[in-house]
């Protein structure tokens, strides 16, 4: 069994990345623990409000690996990408001080949900990248220049 270097993607597409995160996080937002799926009469998911979120952004060579992903609802994905909150190495949410009066503050200090396979939990190197470079920016990644 060949070990894949951490910088390499294990998924071939964003869709595969999203599907793996949905399986690992049981179709629940890792933060709110909510399920936002619209299902048909037999239980097939027709639509979802869950997004596959890169911890280290894809534009900064963040790989499409479960260890570099979080399954978040669209609003929380938007806030994470803008650095409104990040993660500690203990997988606890750190909400930025400037967000104290927002609805995000209720998540401060909460531990995220673990993936089914605990070996696929978020990688601390990717978390450190987010904490050091994205956290506190409070603006879109479009203007972000990767270090």
């Amino acid at each position: 069994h060949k070990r894949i270097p951490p910088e390499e993607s294990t998924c071939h597409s964003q869709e595969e990345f999203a599907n793996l995160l949905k399986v690992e996080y049981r179709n629940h937002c890792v933060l709110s623990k909510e399920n936002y799926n619209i299902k048909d009469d037999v239980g097939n998911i027709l639509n979802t409000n869950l997004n596959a979120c890169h911890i280290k952004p894809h534009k900064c060579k963040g790989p499409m690996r479960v260890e570099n992903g979080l399954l978040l609802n669209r609003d929380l994905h938007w806030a994470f990408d803008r650095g409104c909150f990040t993660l500690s190495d203990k997988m606890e949410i750190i909400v930025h001080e400037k967000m104290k009066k927002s609805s995000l503050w209720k998540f401060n200090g909460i531990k995220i949900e673990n993936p089914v396979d605990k070996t696929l939990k978020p990688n601390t190197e990717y978390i450190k990248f987010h904490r050091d470079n994205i956290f506190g920016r409070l603006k879109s990644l479009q203007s972000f220049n990767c270090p």
Side-chain angles (χ1 to χ4, degrees):
H1 179 62
K2 183 183 169 205
R3 176 122 174 97
I4 298 168
E7 66 276 10
E8 290 183 24
S9 292
T10 56
C11 301
H12 300 291
S13 68
Q14 182 65 27
E15 183 180 9
E16 185 183 354
F17 178 62
N19 288 336
L20 279 172
L21 284 170
K22 287 174 187 171
V23 168
E24 284 301 322
Y25 291 105
R26 302 168 222 54
N27 281 303
H28 286 84
C29 174
V30 300
L31 188 46
S32 71
K33 319 290 195 283
E34 298 291 326
N35 172 318
Y36 296 88
N37 299 321
I38 300 168
K39 296 181 180 180
D40 64 15
D41 294 336
V42 291
N44 296 314
I45 296 173
L46 300 173
N47 207 335
T48 185
N49 186 32
L50 297 170
N51 286 162
C53 174
H54 288 83
I55 299 168
K56 181 178 182 180
H58 189 64
K59 76 181 278 181
C60 299
K61 299 191 178 5
M64 286 193 282
R65 301 175 62 85
V66 172
E67 304 94 315
N68 187 39
L70 297 172
L71 193 62
L72 295 170
N73 74 40
R74 291 175 197 260
D75 288 341
L76 292 172
H77 184 178
W78 181 92
F80 187 77
D81 279 356
R82 281 157 180 75
C84 298
F85 69 93
T86 194
L87 290 170
S88 73
D89 289 347
K90 293 180 181 179
M91 305 302 145
E92 293 170 342
I93 299 300
I94 304 167
V95 179
H96 195 273
E97 286 289 318
K98 289 184 178 175
M99 304 306 298
K100 225 174 192 171
K101 293 186 175 160
S102 79
S103 60
L104 281 176
W105 195 254
K106 67 183 174 208
F107 296 115
N108 196 47
I110 289 178
K111 200 167 181 119
I112 65 165
E113 186 173 326
N114 278 316
V116 172
D117 180 345
K118 307 276 189 292
T119 66
L120 297 176
K121 70 181 183 185
N123 181 301
T124 54
E125 285 181 41
Y126 303 139
I127 291 169
K128 183 175 179 358
F129 181 91
H130 187 274
R131 222 175 22 238
D132 292 348
N133 299 284
I134 311 296
F135 182 56
R137 281 179 42 84
L138 309 182
K139 51 186 161 182
S140 170
L141 283 173
Q142 286 179 329
S143 63
F144 181 66
N145 293 318
C146 301

